[in-house]
Amino acid sequence: MGDQPEAIQQLVDGVQKGMKHQVLLGATGTGKSLGYDDHLYCVQENADGEKVFLGKIGQFIDGLFEKHDALLGLMGDTQILDISVLSERYFSFSFEPETGTSSLRLISAFTRHAAPEKMFRVQTACGRSAVMTGDHNLWVLRNGSLNLIDTVDVAMGDYLAIPDQLPSLDSITEINALPILDGTRLFVEAKQAVLEYVDSKENKTVFYDVLSASGIGHPEGKLGSIRRERRGRGIKVGTFLDLLETTSNMNGGYDPAHATIGGKRLHDRLPASISLTPEFLRLLGYYVAEGNGQSRYFVLANQNTEIRARIESALEQLRIPFFTRDSSDFQVSSTALTELLKRLCGSKAGSKKLPDFSLQLSLHDLGILLQAYFDGDGTVGRASDISATTASERLASDLAYALLRFASGRAFPVVGSARPTQTTREIGIIS
């Protein structure tokens, strides 16, 4: 029907011509796309291992398109990135109606184009929603049987399929603070790696060139300050990241274990590589629940004696000083730690979120993080249910994803028929 016969013939012609890769596209608004701000769960796999992305699909695809601009194709008003030619692979969940299960499936291409005049938001009883085109294909459970329908045909009481568990991937035990803090006015100190690298004249020239390109007028003076450990020895985070990229991590001599990041005060500094210890994970959980990030400090409020002791233990492990206000709240005046927490977890109640790396924690470590959050913000009900109230839609979504690591998912009914919404761009995944 429609343009299918022509599309099938084009695919056949491509096979007969020996084409290795082909992409089948529908016209704009024919069921291949989501709204720009919808969230995507995607697993990236490369030589370094696996990494989870959980965030706005539009930002994710924009970043990929910018990184691989030379590989973009165009069909009408649709941009196409055929990722099968890349060294990394990407996976997302796909529902299999024959078995009633879902699994991670390989993505072969991403698309981007202007949205149609109308898109539709479908929302479930648990508050999850997605924006999609009116004829987007959906599998729903209706009257005891699976039905493949268009978005505009979704009705109240239909059940949408979701995964009941997220997979366990490569677990991480530390994070690199430098890319997280890129763009701040903080400084990196890595004396040992820098001095070993500039030992040769050729390397020193490269070092000076990178610093000059970043706006440092006298790079030789910067090197002198590093040698003598004088004021001005720090290198801004962005410049230091450029240096690492240009010099291949200073010819492999850079060790984040021997580098720190922070402001001018010694007690403000953090290790460039932060171990995800139980103490640090608890600090993240308590901050998400009851923290407030300001410009150069953050505040933690909690009255529980045991929790207060754990907060103090985490700060002492990081060697970050703090004091207790008259209200009994903790105030921690470390610009570096404040910026790290704000970027990982948000600053105010309405912007809170779980750290992006949370889905790559082991179940044990994720449990520590979630326990700390629920200790601060959770309530245990009479039926042994655990609930939490948050002003952040993003945090509520993150918690739902995190709990899926423990196989706690289920299907939820649609609470309203699809209703029109406005969006500016339409994003697609081809698998």
Side-chain angles (χ1 to χ4, degrees), residues 243-272:
L243 182 63
L244 292 179
E245 182 177 2
T246 303
T247 64
S248 298
N249 287 330
M250 299 189 194
N251 292 340
Y254 168 70
D255 184 355
H258 297 144
T260 61
I261 181 171
K264 298 177 181 178
R265 299 174 299 179
L266 289 177
H267 68 262
D268 188 34
R269 309 196 66 77
L270 292 172

Side-chain angles (χ1 to χ4, degrees), residues 220-290:
E220 60 279 353
K222 175 69 70 175
L223 182 57
S225 297
I226 294 173
R227 289 187 188 278
R228 299 172 181 81
E229 296 189 358
R230 297 187 310 202
R231 182 182 178 88
R233 61 187 178 273
I235 301 174
K236 280 190 176 180
V237 180
T239 302
F240 193 82
L241 288 171
D242 290 341
L243 182 63
L244 292 179
E245 182 177 2
T246 303
T247 64
S248 298
N249 287 330
M250 299 189 194
N251 292 340
Y254 168 70
D255 184 355
H258 297 144
T260 61
I261 181 171
K264 298 177 181 178
R265 299 174 299 179
L266 289 177
H267 68 262
D268 188 34
R269 309 196 66 77
L270 292 172
S273 179
I274 298 178
S275 296
L276 299 176
T277 63
E279 291 81 8
F280 184 73
L281 292 172
R282 290 190 187 103
L283 180 64
L284 291 176
Y286 296 140
Y287 176 82
V288 173
E290 299 176 306

Side-chain angles (χ1 to χ4, degrees), residues 89-138:
R89 301 195 301 168
Y90 296 86
F91 300 82
S92 191
F93 272 99
S94 178
F95 178 66
E96 301 173 16
E98 294 84 3
T99 61
T101 62
S102 61
S103 61
L104 286 174
R105 303 293 288 270
L106 183 66
I107 298 172
S108 62
F110 290 102
T111 68
R112 179 176 66 181
H113 49 72
E117 182 179 349
K118 281 185 179 180
M119 293 186 75
F120 294 81
R121 181 183 302 278
V122 177
Q123 183 169 332
T124 66
C126 68
R128 309 309 295 271
S129 67
V131 173
M132 56 194 78
T133 49
D135 50 0
H136 192 114
N137 297 141
L138 290 173

